[in-house]
Amino acid sequence: MSSPKKIALGLLIGQAAGGHPAAWLHPSTNAAGSTSIDYFRDLAQLAERGCFDMFFIADTPAARTDNLHAWSRFPMFMNVLEPVTLLTALAGATRRIGLGGTVSTSFSEPYNVARQFASLDHISAGRAAWNVVTSANDYAARNFGHATLPPHALRYEKASEFVDVVNALWDSWDDDAFILDRSSGLFFDPARQHAVHHQGKFFKVDGALNIARSPQGKPVIIQAGASDTGLELAARTAEVVFASASNPQDAKRGYDDLKGRMAKHGRDPASMKILAGLPVVIGRSQQEAEDKQQALQEMIHPDVGRFRLGSDLEADLSDLPLDEPIPESRLPKSANLHKAFFDGIMKIIREENPTLRQLYLRYERGRKTIKGTPSQIADVMEEWIALGAADGFMMQFATLPDGLQDFVTLVVPELQRRGMFRTEYAGATLRDHLGLTRPANPLTT
Ligand SMILES: Cc1cc2nc3c(=O)[nH]c(=O)nc-3n(C[C@H](O)[C@H](O)[C@H](O)COP(=O)(O)O)c2cc1C
C-alpha cells in the first residue's frame, strides 16, 4: 500500500493571544504577548517541536483611529511587532521552521521588500516567505498619503507589477556571483550581475539588489487573495496560497480552479501548495471543545460583534437594534475590501435573515471552527486531504499558546501515526519542507 500524502502545516498568527476575537480576555492567554519576543520565541519553538512547516504572521501597516470604543475591546493589529523585524529575531531562536510574514504591495517599494526578505532568507539559512497582500483597509491607506484604498483592480495591477520587480531583483545576481577571490582581488565576478531595468505603470527600478542571491534562490511567495483577480495573481506567481473555504467540497472546487489556472502561465500545479485555513478548538471530548468555543463566543462584547460585522459588510451598523435583522437597504451591493468575507455574510443574511446579535455570535470570517477531540480533528484533516481539497493547513488556534500546545502534543502524533505528517524535518529550508524546488536563476548562462 502506498503511504498517504504528507501534508504541510503552517501556524497562522493574527492576534498574538489567538484567533478568537475575545482571545486576549481569556485567562489562559498572555495579553502582553503581542510585543514580547520571549512570547513569540516560545510559540515558534513549540511549533518547531511539532515539525510545522512555517510560522506565519499576518499584518497591516496601521492602527485603527476611529471607533475606538469597539477597537479598544478587540485590539487586532493595535499593538504589534513589525513582521520582518519579528521574524528576523525568530530566525535566531529557531533552526528549521519556515518564517512567513506579510508586507503590503500597496504601501511599500519593491526594492525594500526584495532586500528585506532576501536578508531574512540569508539570516535564517533559507526559511523566509513573503505573504503578498494588497491590504484591505483605509487605515493603512491614510498612513501613506491616500484618503482611501485605491480600487481593488488597481491594487492588484500594482501588486502584479510589484511581484515581478521583486522577482527580478532576487535574480539580479547569479548564485555564485560573490566569488571572494583574494588571489585575483575580485569580491564578485562582474559578469554575474544582472541589473534590473524596469519601467512600468507603477514602478521604475534601475539597479541590482545589494545582497547575494539567497539560500532558497528566492524566498517563498505566499498569497491569500480570494477574488478572481487575486486568484489570477496567485496562479501566475504564488507558491503557497492560503485558502479559506469553510467545507471540503467548496475547498476542492477552489483547489481545482486555482491549480487549473496555472497551466496558461506554464506552471506545474505541483509548484504551488494550497493550505486551507483550519481554525480548531481541541477538547478531551467534543462537548469540552464545544464548551470552550461557546465560552469564548460569549466573551465577545456586543460593540465588538456589531463592529466586526460592520467592517466586513462595509456599513455602519452602530444605530441598529441587536435583536432585529439588518435591513438589506443599509448594505452596499458589493465589496471593495474583503470580497470573500462580504459575500459570505450576505449569503447568511439572504438565506436565514438572522438578527444582528445572532449573526455576530456565529460569524467566523469565512471559516468554520472545528471543535473536537484530537482524533476527530485528524479525521477532518484526513478527509480534506483524501478529497484533494488542500495540500495542507494553516492552523488557527482560538487561544494561544494552549491551542498550539494541545495540537502539538495530541493531534500531531495522531497525524504521524496515520502517516500523514513528518516525524522530523528531512531538509533544511522552507522549500525543502514544502517540497518546492529551488528556482534556478533564468539569467544565468
Ligand atoms: C488566510 C488569510 C490571511 C490573510 N492575511 C492578510 C494579512 O495578514 N494582511 C492583509 O492585509 N490581508 C490579509 N488577507 C487578505 C488577502 O490577502 C486579500 O488582500 C484580501 O482577501 C482582499 O483581496 P481579495 O479581494 O482578492 O480577496 C488574508 C486573507 C486570508 C484568506
Side-chain angles (χ1 to χ4, degrees), residues 73-106:
R73 297 179 182 280
F74 171 45
M76 179 83 178
F77 295 139
M78 295 300 274
N79 179 30
V80 294
L81 295 169
E82 188 284 314
V84 182
T85 313
L86 168 60
L87 295 176
T88 304
L90 293 179
T94 52
R95 289 176 48 77
R96 286 288 174 264
I97 192 165
L99 301 166
T102 302
V103 177
S104 173
T105 54
S106 297

Side-chain angles (χ1 to χ4, degrees), residues 26-333:
H26 195 270
S28 72
T29 65
N30 176 355
S34 67
T35 53
S36 162
I37 188 58
D38 291 347
Y39 175 77
F40 282 109
R41 184 199 56 226
D42 290 350
L43 271 186
Q45 289 178 347
L46 177 56
E48 191 168 60
R49 280 201 292 284
C51 296
F52 272 59
D53 294 66
M54 179 167 62
F55 174 98
F56 170 80
I57 187 96
D59 190 58
T60 200
R64 320 327 174 145
T65 48
D66 52 17
N67 294 303
L68 294 182
H69 66 285
W71 285 115
S72 58
R73 297 179 182 280
F74 171 45
M76 179 83 178
F77 295 139
M78 295 300 274
N79 179 30
V80 294
L81 295 169
E82 188 284 314
V84 182
T85 313
L86 168 60
L87 295 176
T88 304
L90 293 179
T94 52
R95 289 176 48 77
R96 286 288 174 264
I97 192 165
L99 301 166
T102 302
V103 177
S104 173
T105 54
S106 297
F107 310 115
S108 330
E109 284 286 323
Y111 198 93
N112 297 132
V113 171
R115 189 180 182 201
Q116 285 173 316
F117 280 93
S119 299
L120 180 62
D121 209 37
H122 280 281
I123 291 168
S124 64
R127 297 185 282 137
W130 169 37
N131 179 33
V132 179
V133 299
T134 65
S135 293
N137 68 75
D138 290 339
Y139 303 100
R142 292 199 287 267
N143 290 333
F144 296 87
H146 310 274
T148 56
L149 279 178
H152 190 264
L154 198 65
R155 294 205 304 275
Y156 269 108
E157 201 185 342
K158 186 174 181 186
S160 183
E161 187 182 327
F162 195 118
V163 172
D164 289 346
V165 178
V166 169
N167 270 310
L169 286 165
W170 283 337
D171 283 335
S172 60
W173 296 93
D174 289 340
D175 281 312
D176 54 0
F178 288 85
I179 51 178
L180 315 180
D181 185 352
R182 286 179 170 149
S183 61
S184 65
L186 287 180
F187 192 79
F188 64 85
D189 178 349
R192 300 187 205 174
Q193 185 194 70
H194 308 285
V196 175
H197 307 290
H198 174 87
Q199 181 147 15
K201 178 167 172 182
F202 301 94
F203 303 107
K204 187 173 177 208
V205 176
D206 194 357
L209 211 56
N210 54 353
I211 186 165
R213 203 156 187 275
S214 71
Q216 295 189 100
K218 296 173 175 184
V220 172
I221 292 207
I222 307 172
Q223 263 162 60
S227 62
D228 196 59
T229 341
L231 294 171
E232 275 304 305
L233 179 63
R236 189 172 73 78
T237 65
E239 300 174 282
V240 169
V241 169
F242 299 161
S244 58
S246 58
N247 65 69
Q249 289 72 28
D250 286 351
K252 166 76 176 150
R253 271 190 291 280
Y255 183 98
D256 291 343
D257 171 50
L258 181 51
K259 294 230 169 173
R261 293 174 191 237
M262 295 172 74
K264 63 177 176 287
H265 303 290
R267 297 187 65 200
D268 174 358
S271 66
M272 175 198 285
K273 303 296 168 188
I274 299 181
L275 308 189
L278 194 66
V280 296
V281 172
I282 304 161
R284 275 166 301 188
S285 64
Q286 178 156 12
Q287 193 56 49
E288 187 185 280
E290 302 269 1
D291 291 348
K292 267 195 210 176
Q293 170 74 3
Q294 191 52 37
L296 279 164
Q297 285 300 102
E298 283 162 17
M299 290 169 89
I300 299 178
H301 192 279
D303 285 356
V304 175
R306 185 199 294 277
F307 186 65
R308 287 177 77 231
L309 274 182
S311 304
D312 285 340
L313 284 170
E314 301 179 33
D316 179 3
L317 311 179
S318 56
D319 61 317
L320 294 179
L322 284 172
D323 294 309
E324 290 174 28
I326 304 172
E328 206 165 327
S329 60
R330 293 288 295 268
L331 303 174
K333 295 274 173 289

